[in-house]
Amino acid sequence: MPGFYVNKLGQSVVLITGALLKPLIYMSIKLKLGILDQSLLRRGGTALQAITETVDLVSRAEAWGYSRFWVSEHHNSASIAGSAPEVLMVKLAGVTKKIRIGSGGVMLPNHSALKVAENFRMLEILFPKRIDLGMGRAPGGDRISARLLNPSNDFSESAYISQLDYLQAFLTDTAGTQFGRILAVPQAGTIPEQWILSSSGGSSQIAAQFGLGLAVAKFINGNAGPEVAHVYRRLFKPTEINPVPRVMVSVMVLCADTEEKAGELRRATDYRILQFEQGNFEAPGPSSELLDYKFSPDEMARVRNNAGRIVSGTPGSVKEQLLRLAHDFETDEVMITCMAYSFEDRLRCFELVAEAFELQP
């Protein structure tokens, strides 16, 4: 309860305690919100349907007032159609005008650093100052498909760091051999915003070393805490392009009009994550099929361990949770993703969040 004291003018003043002060701090954050979409497939659905929904969603996201829209890279998966973000980004940027379009992310070890530089320079030429290059070191699938994508991939951190080093040289036109300069074409007057996707301290240190932005992927590792961002800020090396550290945090969101509906979506997502952890990447059925499903004790332990990956509830609750998350990570930007089975449920989720934050296009 708040206390009271009387000031020198004889006025009764409410003394706000620490417990009540925190929500006020959260509410003072002016949050920028982005969407990460994975082009999800449903049981019986098609890849064309999934990609068409992603294209539909980006136009709505811009109208709702989201600031970024990223798409992912996944391979050898029957439930995710998004495998080539740099290709899909051309379509997404083409049907929008101002929202930033990015990769969330390009799995750099799967590719040649020169080819990534050229792909994103082309995107920057076509859509100047609207392109984000988010990068990760995970395979985006299993190691067999990763090895097929890049037979020289040895999955080592040192190789990933070398690729990042080459990429910076290609994007700044400082690459060369004893035979002369190596140009990443087309030449562009601007450089895409670069972000390192991190679900652990290791990648955050790499982001700091290269002076790149840090996107903390709590939707992958719910136990990734603010210390990841603290380490990044402490070790950050400023560059001409990025003189100050930049942090965003990404989390799954399941927002619905009622607690009952949000609970249904949460249960289905908990189950789907369990299936992913067991190596089952088949396209799911509707969430209503799981209303009577009983999680085993072992499954409940995993659900509790994964709880930090998800924010769920009605709009007011979701807003408070996202503001608290942003406060904890000392950031003003959150990227949200939704794995609800129904496209209509995903649309409603993103629309409710936009309304709760009063986003403006």
Side-chain angles (χ1 to χ4, degrees), residues 32 195 212-216 226 228-230 232-233 244-250 326 329-334:
K32 293 180 288 186
W195 296 82
L212 305 179
L214 176 70
V216 183
V228 173
H230 296 161
Y232 163 74
R233 290 189 177 97
V244 296
R246 296 173 301 158
V247 174
M248 76 167 73
V249 60
S250 182
F329 279 83
E330 300 178 50
T331 181
D332 65 350
E333 187 159 9
V334 173

Side-chain angles (χ1 to χ4, degrees), residues 339-355:
M339 293 184 66
Y341 165 85
S342 160
F343 183 52
E344 289 71 25
D345 285 340
R346 295 203 298 275
L347 288 179
R348 187 59 177 154
C349 171
F350 294 128
E351 182 179 27
L352 288 172
V353 173
E355 290 175 353

Side-chain angles (χ1 to χ4, degrees), residues 117-154:
E118 292 191 331
N119 285 343
F120 278 80
R121 275 200 151 174
M122 181 64 77
L123 284 163
E124 190 70 18
I125 287 283
L126 294 172
F127 310 102
K129 299 183 179 180
R130 288 184 58 202
I131 299 301
D132 295 335
L133 171 52
M135 297 168 283
R137 59 175 293 199
D142 57 79
R143 288 208 167 196
I144 296 173
S145 57
R147 182 58 60 86
L148 291 171
L149 284 162
N150 180 5
S152 64
N153 185 358
D154 65 4

Side-chain angles (χ1 to χ4, degrees), residues 5 7 20 123 151 158 188 196 219 227 236 279 286-287 293 302-303 361:
Y5 72 95
N7 66 13
L20 292 177
L123 284 163
S158 60
I196 295 292
F219 72 97
E227 64 278 0
F236 183 81
S287 56
Y293 182 81
R302 290 304 308 160
V303 168

Side-chain angles (χ1 to χ4, degrees), residues 90-166:
V90 177
K91 178 67 174 179
L92 300 178
V95 299
T96 54
K97 296 184 182 300
K98 293 187 176 181
I99 190 171
R100 295 193 67 88
I101 303 297
S103 57
V106 166
M107 299 297 104
L108 197 56
N110 293 339
H111 308 282
S112 151
L114 176 58
K115 188 56 180 171
V116 171
E118 292 191 331
N119 285 343
F120 278 80
R121 275 200 151 174
M122 181 64 77
L123 284 163
E124 190 70 18
I125 287 283
L126 294 172
F127 310 102
K129 299 183 179 180
R130 288 184 58 202
I131 299 301
D132 295 335
L133 171 52
M135 297 168 283
R137 59 175 293 199
D142 57 79
R143 288 208 167 196
I144 296 173
S145 57
R147 182 58 60 86
L148 291 171
L149 284 162
N150 180 5
S152 64
N153 185 358
D154 65 4
F155 305 98
S156 70
E157 181 176 291
S158 60
Y160 178 56
I161 292 173
S162 292
Q163 282 190 294
L164 284 169
D165 209 17
Y166 296 151

Side-chain angles (χ1 to χ4, degrees), residues 246-310:
R246 296 173 301 158
V247 174
M248 76 167 73
V249 60
S250 182
V251 68
M252 291 187 205
V253 170
L254 299 164
C255 189
D257 291 280
T258 67
E259 289 290 354
E260 181 182 13
K261 179 64 175 180
E264 176 187 320
L265 298 177
R266 178 70 179 252
R267 187 177 187 81
T269 301
D270 285 336
Y271 178 81
R272 188 172 189 181
I273 291 173
L274 288 174
Q275 296 303 300
F276 285 168
E277 291 181 339
Q278 296 167 13
N280 178 11
F281 296 96
E282 294 302 313
S287 56
S288 58
E289 291 183 355
L290 298 169
L291 290 177
D292 298 322
Y293 182 81
K294 303 295 184 184
F295 291 105
S296 71
D298 287 344
E299 287 177 328
M300 279 306 304
R302 290 304 308 160
V303 168
R304 287 191 292 270
N305 185 70
N306 288 323
R309 300 169 68 171
I310 306 171

